[in-house]
Amino acid sequence: MAESMRGMKRTCRCAELSEKNIGEEVTMMGWVQKQRNKGGIIFVDMRDRSGILQVIFEDGEINEADFAKAEKLRSEFVIAVKGKVTARSGAVNENLATGAIELRAEELRVLSESDTPPFPIEADSKTKEELRLKYRYLDLRRPDLQRNLIMRSKVATLIRQFLADEGFLEIETPMLTKSTPEGARDYLVPSRVHPGTFYALPQSPQLFKQLLMCSGYDRYFQLARCFRDEDLRADRQPEFTQVDMELSFVDEDDVMDVNERLLQKLFKEILDVDIELPIQRMTWQEAMDRFGSDKPDLRFGMELKDVSEVVKGCGFGVFTGALENGGSVRGINAKGQGGMPRKKIDALVKFAKDFGAKGLAYLAINEDGTYKSSFAKFMTDDELKALVDAMEGEPGDLLLFAADKNKIVWDVLGNLRLEIAKNLDLLDKNVYKFLWVTEFPEFEYSEEQGRYLAMHHPFTMPFEDDIQYLESNPEKVRARAYDIVLNGTEIGGGSIRIHQDDVQEKMLRALGFTDEKAHEQFGFLLDAFKYGVPPHAGLAYGLDRLVMIMAHEDSIRDVIAFPKIKDASCLMTDAPNVVDDKQLEELSLEIAKSEQEQ
Amino acid sequence: MAESMRGMKRTCRCAELSEKNIGEEVTMMGWVQKQRNKGGIIFVDMRDRSGILQVIFEDGEINEADFAKAEKLRSEFVIAVKGKVTARSGAVNENLATGAIELRAEELRVLSESDTPPFPIEADSKTKEELRLKYRYLDLRRPDLQRNLIMRSKVATLIRQFLADEGFLEIETPMLTKSTPEGARDYLVPSRVHPGTFYALPQSPQLFKQLLMCSGYDRYFQLARCFRDEDLRADRQPEFTQVDMELSFVDEDDVMDVNERLLQKLFKEILDVDIELPIQRMTWQEAMDRFGSDKPDLRFGMELKDVSEVVKGCGFGVFTGALENGGSVRGINAKGQGGMPRKKIDALVKFAKDFGAKGLAYLAINEDGTYKSSFAKFMTDDELKALVDAMEGEPGDLLLFAADKNKIVWDVLGNLRLEIAKNLDLLDKNVYKFLWVTEFPEFEYSEEQGRYLAMHHPFTMPFEDDIQYLESNPEKVRARAYDIVLNGTEIGGGSIRIHQDDVQEKMLRALGFTDEKAHEQFGFLLDAFKYGVPPHAGLAYGLDRLVMIMAHEDSIRDVIAFPKIKDASCLMTDAPNVVDDKQLEELSLEIAKSEQEQ
């Protein structure tokens, strides 16, 4: 039986009461966290989003009918209690904000009863994620998810306030827009009015925000939902939120300055962490050379060293072969890990192979100065000593080497470095290391497509000196792009944009667009560029990832209210689902025969 | 030729300079609004989103090369000017914020040239909307659109700040969600991973926000993009923005209180208009009886009067016939319009017929007390006098009557009332009349579907006393719903929600859902209702419409950056468009044959 709250008015939330309120009559509403009957006195922990309040039902203080109701309370019942705030009669609970007080109930209403939930509502749930996602509305009651979503809300509010104060305008861009083949796969939306045609959901508001700069809005921002129908990878969501901004009449320093101050404010106000400004900058080339990654985690060292010069004449064919094929030999020094058991080293070799290495050469320096190594036998003592010296190897160290094309060497050692750090517990979530990575290559070559792709996107301004190579020597072209990296995660990225129609057309040609195709796809942007365009630049953060790191979570699903699982479905609503034939008819669509038959 | 801004740093925006800056060296960047050469001195009006600044290029103050560039400047070129702020040498321009100063140029760079735009960039454009929408990036440079979008951004910022301060959490809900047949037509998104199934874009976050209340988030808000694939009507957009909120442990007064304070703050800070609180409330029944509308415009009177009792025995068959069929006879008094020419009256009759009237009976009271009337001949003098008295008719007035079923009578006279007010210019955009309309009917009967539909939505709580009639007598059930109306436009609406699974199931049954269908569609909501649900309520504003009224515009297209036209297409990007066959293949979709052949 559910009772009405008619005539009652809630005073405040549970944890908003404190010793200051002792003696006050209050009306509190919330959920029963647990109920205990201790010798005829009923103790109820009452919960809401603010926390827990202890409520005492004692016969005599409350009428019999209400006391009888209190006896029957169970977890997750929703109740309203009128009563008086008093100092806690028992021991003060230091773990609770309200641990020094209790509410002595004078009236109780049961606003809603509850079945026994399929899993307990508590922090650090051990319940399987699948079950939690099916009952997401219960999962979301858990204090850790509540803390995450409350933090996310605060982050969004702070970002918006900061950007508004800095003269940014929040402008909404369309969700039903045009499909463009560059980039990831689009989600499509069939048009009913124009049969056979489709809208696409935006992968980002990129073109629209650039047009807003053309239109003179000067500074734009939006917390924009973006969509990518990508193949399923761990911890990707088909829809995600971007903190998107664009600025006119600026260069890299302007963009970085405003964003550094934004991040500083955010981390101070949310986490009480001081970020020292300016944030360190590093070119893409240096990041790859030192960390084997364009998003280096700077919380620990273990940097890559290029030992190609040292090993170029050695007797180990794997090393010299890689060099002869235009590759390199690089290593990392896992300090103090020389005693790592063979089994664990084998696991690292397997890990390296997963990233494309043909193998992983290792050399452990025993405490007595001798070596345990997979390749020592192929090299002279002098060669080995030179190599160990180059790696600053000392007794007790473990040296790991990869020899291959640069791209593979970086990838293998960059990931190995992270894996070892993870195993050694070097990744302190309370340490925040920011880094700007700059001077990215404009293009990367796709073996699969047999052409160059834009590493950032086709609207990224090349370095002025490199524009001449756009068509003749794309590999040489550096992009005026910048990523902001936090603890090894790219939390945002952006670039100075091309604002000249001739440069933009060259760029599209370098990407393999015919002029006709370029105009079909981006005609409106190229047209806009004919009418006076300000130099402009922008940046976008992945809000989900940023909040995930701030909340010390390992999955973005833990900072999204209603996430989807790996196959892009929602376990709670069962979306996507089959629709009525009538709906398809209206859209002039048919399911392909091959699928119908399955 | 475009020059680089390298080495230059913009000081501020144009209209941020004032007499305080006289004597300062500044660097300004913006667009050329116009250029004039007066006797060898070049005057340029430089424009950015803040306004206009006059720049003077005089030979001798600036080097020859730059002066030569200044001579060639044309409208919409983007320029950077270094120079000194001085008092204006000519007459002060009172119409400009910067009218007392000018910038004497010492250096000029042309950052971007411009072709002649297809229409002039100026306020109150006379250019056809179609052309403006094709070149929206130029249209958006016009000062009135800039003012609107800047206002919209301010409105959004203020709303968010207010709600955050009131303890609301901003929580994002999914865009890729489940298709539900109740309500308007969904936009569908085919799933690639699960061939033959579809997501739907949300018509509103209704179910998710109710689940967030189940989950204990207490107060939620979101500026949510919503989608409806509706048949094309004037001034509808396929996507629109809702200011969406939901609150737990509240009743109507709580929701109205927080929203009245929100509106008060908004109108004060944006328009410097004082809204007196509390806002007037009126039941749906009273609104229909007095204004023939559930969103009455209170800026003027001309209320409806029910004269059924007065005419029930009269000789005019149209009146008595309507009464015999269970209808009513009602009229409005257009004060002082008795002299309206026959042609104009005929236009009103036609207007009434468009709203379903079989005709429109009129009676003009001449200055000498005689009548000019379409029906006077059917009635006795006494009957006429009684009718005129009931309508408080005086010489010079025009009385207009509709006789039909209530629904038609209300609709006809409600719209006629607005039409006459529009013709008489009674609708002052600087006057803001707010109204809460309450106690809506829970259901309305759909002749087309032969069943009851929810007037608000299926989750609206009925009045407690009326729950008993849910299945037996739906017409009698009043809903605890409320709309907020401004100047005859519904700018928002909401309700107390059903939070009991048994009531919700009854409600769905009353709407014709089988239990099976109800669980298939809303199973997760009905399940959630089993685990302790707080009483909750909410409201949502149409942000586009709210800003439209605040900006004194007549179309929401004027407060949306990139709107679509009536057929739901975008003239700038040409969305929706044809996509690659490969994209359809991946989605296991085919265009229906009948369409392919066309």
Side-chain angles (χ1 to χ4, degrees):
Chain A
M1 234 303 290
E3 295 176 276
S4 157
M5 54 171 278
R6 188 180 290 171
M8 277 187 160
K9 203 159 187 75
R10 189 190 193 193
T11 306
C12 61
R13 296 191 189 92
C14 289
E16 289 165 9
L17 288 181
S18 70
E19 290 168 273
K20 283 186 206 139
N21 304 94
I22 287 176
E24 289 177 19
E25 285 285 336
V26 297
T27 302
M28 307 301 290
M29 303 186 186
W31 283 257
V32 173
Q33 178 69 26
K34 62 180 179 196
Q35 185 258 39
R36 288 154 297 157
N37 191 328
K38 279 211 275 194
I41 302 177
I42 293 163
F43 294 77
V44 165
D45 281 351
M46 184 169 170
R47 185 193 74 226
D48 64 21
R49 86 174 194 214
S50 71
I52 298 271
L53 176 69
Q54 176 163 289
V55 187
I56 311 286
F57 299 86
E58 193 162 352
D59 213 354
E61 289 179 7
I62 192 166
N63 70 54
E64 268 180 48
D66 282 1
F67 187 82
K69 282 190 264 171
E71 286 184 305
K72 287 184 192 144
L73 290 179
R74 287 188 305 166
S75 291
E76 302 310 313
F77 278 33
V78 180
I79 57 173
V81 180
K82 242 186 192 160
K84 189 176 274 182
V85 181
T86 63
R88 197 171 275 225
S89 45
V92 166
N93 182 342
E94 301 285 356
N95 297 322
L96 274 189
T98 59
I101 57 168
E102 61 195 17
L103 176 62
R104 308 224 40 120
E106 291 158 8
E107 186 183 344
L108 168 66
R109 293 194 207 169
V110 176
L111 303 181
S112 176
E113 299 187 344
S114 173
D115 288 359
T116 303
F119 51 83
I121 309 300
E122 61 190 18
D124 304 317
S125 176
K126 298 282 178 294
T127 309
K128 256 177 54 184
E129 194 182 20
E130 239 173 66
L131 190 67
R132 294 199 286 107
L133 288 175
K134 178 171 163 55
Y135 295 94
R136 185 63 164 179
Y137 42 86
L138 297 178
D139 195 30
L140 284 170
R141 291 183 186 179
R142 297 191 305 105
D144 29 10
L145 278 184
Q146 295 215 337
R147 188 208 53 186
N148 291 353
L149 290 188
I150 289 170
M151 180 188 284
R152 184 182 177 122
S153 173
K154 278 189 195 151
V155 168
T157 301
L158 272 170
I159 290 175
R160 288 194 161 101
Q161 196 59 48
F162 177 89
L163 291 176
D165 290 346
E166 293 279 333
F168 286 79
L169 299 172
E170 184 179 0
I171 301 176
E172 296 176 74
T173 55
M175 291 279 180
L176 296 173
T177 177
K178 188 180 182 173
S179 179
T180 57
E182 200 66 357
R185 198 182 286 109
D186 285 323
Y187 275 106
L188 298 181
V189 182
S191 160
R192 179 177 55 89
V193 184
H194 306 278
T197 67
F198 296 80
Y199 304 95
L201 299 177
Q203 297 186 24
S204 91
Q206 184 63 33
L207 296 179
F208 290 106
K209 69 177 178 170
Q210 290 194 241
L211 289 178
L212 287 171
M213 295 303 101
C214 291
S215 303
Y217 287 82
D218 212 310
R219 293 186 164 209
Y220 141 97
F221 84 98
Q222 190 180 194
L223 269 67
R225 201 71 62 87
C226 302
F227 304 83
R228 288 184 199 166
D229 186 8
E230 292 186 282
D231 282 321
L232 314 166
R233 270 211 252 160
D235 217 25
R236 279 265 179 88
Q237 290 285 317
E239 51 181 308
F240 56 97
T241 302
Q242 214 167 272
V243 179
D244 194 44
M245 66 181 79
E246 195 79 8
L247 306 80
S248 291
F249 302 115
V250 293
D251 61 18
E252 287 89 340
D253 289 339
D254 298 309
V255 177
M256 291 182 184
D257 168 65
V258 73
N259 279 287
E260 290 184 356
R261 288 184 292 109
L262 168 60
L263 289 167
Q264 188 178 52
K265 187 185 170 84
L266 214 52
F267 277 73
K268 184 67 190 171
E269 299 210 4
I270 303 279
L271 299 172
D272 197 25
V273 165
D274 291 298
I275 303 179
E276 223 176 285
L277 300 191
I279 289 171
Q280 184 184 349
R281 300 186 195 181
M282 188 181 288
T283 65
W284 179 86
Q285 190 64 55
E286 183 180 349
M288 298 310 288
D289 282 339
R290 289 176 55 193
F291 302 96
S293 167
D294 59 2
K295 40 180 197 282
D297 193 328
L298 299 188
R299 283 176 294 177
F300 65 103
M302 216 190 302
E303 296 189 14
L304 277 63
K305 290 228 163 70
D306 189 339
V307 294
S308 303
E309 279 302 311
V310 181
V311 301
K312 72 178 169 191
C314 81
F316 186 30
V318 170
F319 285 178
T320 51
L323 296 176
E324 277 155 25
N325 285 323
S328 59
V329 182
R330 298 168 201 250
I332 55 175
N333 182 345
K335 297 300 288 181
Q337 295 306 306
M340 189 182 286
R342 180 60 192 261
K343 218 172 168 176
K344 280 200 175 171
I345 294 180
D346 286 347
L348 293 181
V349 174
K350 189 186 169 306
F351 181 88
K353 284 183 176 166
D354 288 345
F355 285 92
K358 290 184 207 79
L360 184 71
Y362 67 87
L363 184 149
I365 310 173
N366 299 323
E367 293 298 341
D368 62 3
T370 61
Y371 305 137
K372 189 171 60 191
S373 169
S374 61
F375 60 89
K377 57 187 165 194
F378 303 110
M379 286 167 74
T380 66
D381 284 354
D382 282 354
E383 283 168 355
L384 283 171
K385 180 167 186 318
L387 183 59
V388 168
D389 285 351
M391 294 302 298
E392 294 172 35
E394 295 172 317
D397 289 355
L398 173 66
L399 310 181
L400 299 162
F401 299 93
D404 211 313
K405 285 186 189 143
N406 279 335
K407 215 181 147 182
I408 293 178
V409 171
W410 285 327
D411 211 28
V412 167
L413 293 181
N415 282 292
L416 205 56
R417 178 180 171 267
L418 286 177
E419 177 70 8
I420 294 169
K422 214 177 291 168
N423 295 342
L424 298 179
D425 215 8
L426 299 179
L427 305 175
D428 184 347
K429 285 185 175 173
N430 287 303
V431 171
Y432 301 94
K433 291 286 189 186
F434 287 88
L435 173 71
W436 288 109
V437 178
T438 63
E439 293 190 29
F440 282 78
E442 181 84 48
F443 302 96
E444 54 187 342
Y445 190 75
S446 162
E447 301 282 354
E448 195 190 329
Q449 300 191 36
R451 65 174 182 112
Y452 286 97
L453 303 178
M455 189 174 259
H456 268 70
H457 56 55
F459 314 105
T460 303
M461 181 81 94
F463 273 64
E464 211 173 322
D465 295 342
D466 300 348
I467 291 182
Q468 52 181 320
Y469 305 120
L470 264 182
E471 294 179 90
S472 60
N473 194 352
E475 313 237 0
K476 253 183 116 158
V477 180
R478 288 162 304 158
R480 292 177 67 183
Y482 34 79
D483 277 359
I484 175 80
V485 173
L486 168 57
N487 291 356
T489 298
E490 180 221 320
I491 56 168
S495 62
I496 308 291
R497 320 301 185 187
I498 299 169
H499 67 279
Q500 309 94 327
D501 55 352
D502 57 333
V503 179
Q504 186 63 65
E505 287 182 17
K506 260 185 219 163
M507 178 72 193
L508 290 172
R509 240 174 276 139
L511 290 169
F513 278 78
T514 60
D515 285 5
E516 193 194 340
K517 189 82 186 159
H519 276 268
E520 190 187 311
Q521 285 301 332
F522 305 111
F524 57 99
L525 186 77
L526 297 171
D527 284 348
F529 279 5
K530 294 201 178 86
Y531 297 102
V533 193
H536 58 287
L539 187 138
Y541 294 93
L543 181 63
D544 309 295
R545 273 190 270 176
L546 175 61
V547 176
M548 177 188 83
I549 296 176
M550 295 181 81
H552 295 186
E553 294 287 359
D554 294 315
S555 163
I556 58 171
R557 290 189 298 278
D558 290 329
V559 298
I560 294 174
F562 299 101
K564 297 195 172 57
I565 59 169
K566 266 197 196 182
D567 73 351
S569 73
C570 169
L571 292 176
M572 184 184 74
T573 61
D574 285 333
N577 59 341
V578 172
V579 299
D580 289 349
D581 289 343
K582 184 166 160 276
Q583 287 173 282
L584 291 187
E585 244 167 66
E586 286 185 318
L587 297 173
S588 310
L589 284 183
E590 287 167 6
I591 311 293
K593 282 269 152 46
S594 55
E595 285 304 328
Q596 288 178 335
E597 282 158 13
Q598 277 169 8
Chain B
M1 236 300 293
E3 296 175 277
S4 156
M5 55 172 278
R6 188 179 293 170
M8 277 186 158
K9 203 158 185 78
R10 189 190 193 193
T11 306
C12 63
R13 295 190 191 94
C14 289
E16 289 164 10
L17 288 181
S18 71
E19 288 169 275
K20 283 186 207 139
N21 304 94
I22 287 177
E24 289 177 16
E25 284 285 337
V26 297
T27 302
M28 307 300 290
M29 303 186 188
W31 283 257
V32 173
Q33 178 69 26
K34 63 179 177 198
Q35 184 259 36
R36 289 154 298 158
N37 190 329
K38 277 209 276 192
I41 303 178
I42 293 163
F43 293 77
V44 165
D45 281 352
M46 185 169 168
R47 186 193 74 226
D48 64 21
R49 86 175 195 215
S50 71
I52 297 270
L53 175 69
Q54 176 164 288
V55 187
I56 310 287
F57 298 86
E58 194 164 352
D59 213 355
E61 289 180 8
I62 191 165
N63 69 56
E64 266 179 51
D66 283 2
F67 187 81
K69 282 189 267 171
E71 285 184 307
K72 286 185 192 141
L73 290 179
R74 287 188 305 164
S75 291
E76 302 311 313
F77 278 34
V78 180
I79 57 173
V81 181
K82 241 187 191 157
K84 189 176 273 182
V85 181
T86 63
R88 196 170 276 223
S89 45
V92 166
N93 183 341
E94 302 284 357
N95 297 322
L96 274 189
T98 59
I101 56 168
E102 61 194 17
L103 176 62
R104 312 228 30 126
E106 291 158 9
E107 186 185 344
L108 167 66
R109 292 194 208 169
V110 177
L111 303 181
S112 176
E113 299 187 343
S114 173
D115 288 357
T116 303
F119 50 84
I121 308 301
E122 61 189 20
D124 303 317
S125 176
K126 297 284 179 292
T127 308
K128 258 177 54 186
E129 195 182 20
E130 240 174 66
L131 190 66
R132 293 199 286 108
L133 288 175
K134 178 172 164 58
Y135 294 95
R136 186 62 164 180
Y137 42 86
L138 297 178
D139 196 30
L140 284 170
R141 292 184 186 178
R142 297 192 305 105
D144 29 10
L145 280 184
Q146 294 216 336
R147 189 207 53 187
N148 291 352
L149 290 188
I150 290 170
M151 181 189 283
R152 184 182 177 124
S153 173
K154 278 189 196 152
V155 167
T157 302
L158 271 169
I159 289 175
R160 289 195 162 100
Q161 196 59 49
F162 177 89
L163 291 175
D165 291 345
E166 293 279 333
F168 286 80
L169 300 172
E170 183 178 1
I171 301 177
E172 296 175 75
T173 54
M175 292 278 181
L176 294 173
T177 178
K178 189 180 181 174
S179 179
T180 57
E182 199 66 357
R185 197 183 287 109
D186 285 322
Y187 276 106
L188 297 181
V189 182
S191 160
R192 179 177 55 89
V193 184
H194 307 277
T197 67
F198 295 79
Y199 305 94
L201 299 178
Q203 296 186 27
S204 91
Q206 184 64 33
L207 295 178
F208 290 105
K209 70 177 178 171
Q210 290 194 240
L211 290 178
L212 287 171
M213 296 303 101
C214 291
S215 302
Y217 287 82
D218 212 308
R219 292 186 165 208
Y220 141 96
F221 85 98
Q222 191 181 195
L223 268 66
R225 201 72 62 86
C226 302
F227 303 84
R228 286 183 201 167
D229 186 8
E230 291 186 283
D231 283 320
L232 315 166
R233 269 211 254 162
D235 218 24
R236 278 265 178 87
Q237 288 287 317
E239 52 182 307
F240 55 97
T241 302
Q242 213 166 272
V243 179
D244 194 45
M245 66 181 80
E246 196 78 9
L247 306 80
S248 290
F249 303 116
V250 294
D251 61 18
E252 286 89 340
D253 289 339
D254 298 308
V255 177
M256 290 182 184
D257 168 65
V258 72
N259 279 285
E260 290 184 356
R261 288 184 292 108
L262 168 59
L263 289 168
Q264 189 179 51
K265 187 184 170 85
L266 214 52
F267 277 72
K268 185 66 191 170
E269 299 211 4
I270 303 278
L271 299 172
D272 198 24
V273 165
D274 292 297
I275 303 179
E276 225 177 284
L277 301 190
I279 288 171
Q280 183 184 349
R281 299 186 195 182
M282 189 182 288
T283 65
W284 178 87
Q285 191 63 53
E286 183 180 348
M288 298 310 288
D289 283 340
R290 289 176 56 193
F291 301 95
S293 168
D294 58 2
K295 41 180 195 282
D297 192 328
L298 300 187
R299 283 176 293 178
F300 65 101
M302 216 191 300
E303 295 189 13
L304 277 62
K305 289 228 163 70
D306 188 340
V307 293
S308 303
E309 278 303 310
V310 182
V311 301
K312 71 177 171 193
C314 82
F316 185 30
V318 170
F319 285 177
T320 51
L323 296 177
E324 278 155 24
N325 285 323
S328 59
V329 182
R330 297 165 202 251
I332 54 175
N333 182 344
K335 296 300 288 182
Q337 296 305 307
M340 188 181 286
R342 180 60 192 261
K343 220 172 164 174
K344 282 201 173 172
I345 294 181
D346 286 347
L348 293 180
V349 174
K350 189 185 169 306
F351 181 88
K353 284 182 176 168
D354 288 346
F355 285 92
K358 290 184 207 79
L360 182 71
Y362 65 88
L363 184 148
I365 310 172
N366 299 323
E367 293 297 341
D368 64 2
T370 61
Y371 305 138
K372 190 171 58 190
S373 169
S374 61
F375 60 88
K377 56 188 167 196
F378 302 111
M379 286 167 74
T380 66
D381 285 353
D382 281 354
E383 284 168 355
L384 283 171
K385 181 170 184 315
L387 183 58
V388 168
D389 285 351
M391 294 302 297
E392 295 173 35
E394 294 173 318
D397 290 354
L398 173 66
L399 310 181
L400 299 162
F401 300 93
D404 211 315
K405 285 185 188 142
N406 278 334
K407 213 181 150 184
I408 293 177
V409 171
W410 284 326
D411 211 29
V412 166
L413 293 182
N415 282 292
L416 206 54
R417 179 180 169 269
L418 286 178
E419 176 71 7
I420 294 170
K422 213 176 294 169
N423 294 343
L424 298 179
D425 214 8
L426 298 180
L427 305 175
D428 184 346
K429 286 184 174 172
N430 287 302
V431 172
Y432 301 93
K433 291 286 190 186
F434 287 88
L435 172 72
W436 288 109
V437 177
T438 64
E439 292 190 29
F440 281 78
E442 181 84 48
F443 302 97
E444 54 187 343
Y445 190 76
S446 162
E447 301 284 352
E448 195 191 328
Q449 300 192 36
R451 65 175 181 111
Y452 286 97
L453 303 178
M455 189 174 259
H456 268 70
H457 55 55
F459 315 105
T460 303
M461 181 81 95
F463 273 66
E464 209 172 323
D465 295 341
D466 300 349
I467 290 180
Q468 53 181 317
Y469 303 120
L470 264 182
E471 293 178 271
S472 61
N473 194 351
E475 314 236 1
K476 254 184 115 159
V477 180
R478 289 161 304 157
R480 292 177 68 183
Y482 34 79
D483 277 359
I484 176 79
V485 173
L486 169 56
N487 291 356
T489 297
E490 179 222 319
I491 56 168
S495 62
I496 308 291
R497 321 300 186 188
I498 299 169
H499 68 277
Q500 309 93 328
D501 56 352
D502 57 333
V503 179
Q504 186 63 65
E505 286 181 18
K506 260 186 218 161
M507 179 71 194
L508 290 172
R509 240 174 275 138
L511 290 168
F513 279 78
T514 62
D515 285 4
E516 194 195 339
K517 189 83 186 160
H519 276 268
E520 190 186 312
Q521 286 300 332
F522 305 111
F524 57 98
L525 186 77
L526 297 170
D527 284 347
F529 279 6
K530 295 201 176 88
Y531 297 102
V533 193
H536 59 286
L539 186 138
Y541 294 92
L543 181 63
D544 310 295
R545 272 190 271 176
L546 176 60
V547 176
M548 178 188 82
I549 296 176
M550 296 181 80
H552 295 186
E553 294 288 359
D554 294 315
S555 164
I556 58 171
R557 289 189 299 279
D558 290 328
V559 298
I560 295 174
F562 300 101
K564 296 196 173 57
I565 59 169
K566 265 196 195 183
D567 72 352
S569 72
C570 168
L571 293 177
M572 184 184 74
T573 61
D574 285 334
N577 58 342
V578 173
V579 298
D580 288 349
D581 288 344
K582 182 167 162 273
Q583 287 174 281
L584 292 186
E585 246 168 65
E586 286 185 318
L587 298 172
S588 311
L589 284 184
E590 285 167 7
I591 311 294
K593 283 269 153 45
S594 55
E595 285 305 328
Q596 289 177 334
E597 282 157 13
Q598 277 171 9

